[in-house]
Amino acid sequence: MNIRRFSAAAFAAALLIPGLAACNDNGTAGAGASATPAASGSIAPSGTPAGDAKQALLDSTNAIRDGNFRFTMSGAGSTAEGQVHEPSQSAEMRMTIGDPSSDLMMKLDLIHYKPDSWVKLELGGKAAASVPGLKNLNLGKYQHLDQTRIQGNRALGFDFDQVDPAGSAVLTKGVTEVRQTGDGAYAGTVDVSKAAEAGSLDPAVITALGAQAQSVPFTAKVDPQGRLSELVLQIPAAGNSAAQDVKISYSDYGNAAAAQKPPADQVVEAPAEFYNLFN
């Protein structure tokens, strides 16, 4: 792995899909890579028409817009988890990218409490010592971020007008075929070529997929209240990346807690080297 600077997209939840596997060289094919797409207009075992099934998926993302939930995302050897609490204008996300055997492992603990943001960075792996400006990165401390320097940065910023880190509402709008497979369970295909702005997708991977991007298999589950609880995208192999399953889950609708600001004695102002790492 060539350690230079890392783009913002590299640390967004977007890189929980195969783009990271090409970097780690340890991706494994997702179990869903051989899934058979649902037939267009098919009728589910319960007798639900495909059109009604798609509407159910579209409606399942409505509660996300309330901005009060917990979430997890995983794929390509990386994980993210956190919570959004729009009533307090706060959010928190913890991301782990890679593992100790990788060239580079990174952990980010992000806290947003409008109008402030903080992030604690941990680095590991064989190439960690090659990260530019390492000695000035204040590892282990929370870096207080200058909002003017992270505006539009998908890795470090958070938009309380678009509270879903995964962009599931965008993804479900791209569903092309769907059928109900059981109580609260669905399967089909989604055109991810129209979902580059979804936080769970790396635009570079969408490009690499080519025509395959128009029919990516997925499965989904909704809770008893019809709210999205799980979405799994079965991303085909693309370029140098192996096939991967990207799993997004939601829980605790309406019951998430406000994020906790870091203790003052653990906070430093982020140095220029920190911003350079993500530009």
Side-chain angles (χ1 to χ4, degrees):
M1 180 177 179
N2 189 17
I3 302 298
R4 294 178 183 170
R5 293 182 179 179
F6 304 92
S7 68
F11 300 109
L15 268 199
L16 296 174
I17 55 181
L20 183 65
C23 200
N24 289 337
D25 293 326
N26 62 354
T28 56
S34 61
T36 301
S40 178
S42 61
I43 303 299
S46 63
T48 302
D52 291 349
K54 181 173 182 178
Q55 189 60 52
L57 286 180
L58 292 172
D59 292 344
S60 74
T61 65
N62 290 341
I64 297 174
R65 290 196 292 269
D66 293 336
N68 193 329
F69 57 88
R70 298 187 63 82
F71 66 91
T72 65
M73 293 185 281
S74 64
S78 299
T79 60
E81 65 173 356
Q83 62 195 36
V84 177
H85 192 253
E86 199 278 337
S88 64
Q89 295 280 275
S90 70
E92 185 172 4
M93 179 185 289
R94 293 165 297 280
M95 289 187 280
T96 300
I97 300 173
D99 58 59
S101 65
S102 306
D103 284 343
L104 183 69
M105 178 187 73
M106 175 171 285
K107 292 184 178 181
L108 292 171
D109 184 353
L110 283 151
I111 299 174
H112 303 282
Y113 213 118
K114 201 172 183 178
D116 293 299
S117 297
W118 304 263
V119 60
K120 182 164 67 174
L121 171 68
E122 296 180 40
L123 296 173
K126 296 173 286 187
S130 300
V131 172
L134 180 65
K135 65 179 181 180
N136 296 323
L137 290 178
N138 295 310
L139 300 183
K141 291 278 191 178
Y142 280 95
Q143 319 272 336
H144 180 253
L145 301 176
D146 181 346
Q147 295 295 317
T148 65
R149 301 187 70 170
I150 65 171
Q151 187 173 6
N153 188 311
R154 295 177 67 188
L156 301 177
F158 190 85
D159 185 352
F160 282 97
D161 292 326
Q162 299 179 13
V163 296
D164 182 9
S168 292
V170 176
L171 291 169
T172 55
K173 289 178 182 177
V175 167
T176 53
E177 298 175 349
V178 61
R179 61 188 174 93
Q180 187 172 0
T181 58
D183 188 15
Y186 302 87
T189 58
V190 57
D191 182 354
V192 300
S193 68
K194 301 175 181 178
E197 68 272 29
S200 51
L201 295 176
D202 179 5
V205 173
I206 295 176
T207 299
L209 286 172
Q212 294 183 99
Q214 298 175 17
S215 57
V216 171
F218 78 92
T219 60
K221 295 179 181 177
V222 301
D223 67 13
Q225 288 74 43
R227 303 169 299 195
L228 186 65
S229 60
E230 180 183 287
L231 178 64
V232 180
L233 302 174
Q234 297 153 3
I235 307 294
N240 296 324
S241 302
Q244 298 287 338
D245 281 2
V246 177
K247 182 177 180 180
I248 306 161
S249 64
Y250 301 89
S251 62
D252 292 339
Y253 283 103
N255 295 310
Q260 298 296 309
K261 298 179 181 180
D265 61 356
Q266 296 182 29
V267 174
V268 296
E269 290 297 321
E273 289 84 356
F274 185 87
Y275 298 106
N276 291 339
L277 187 66
F278 290 87
N279 289 332

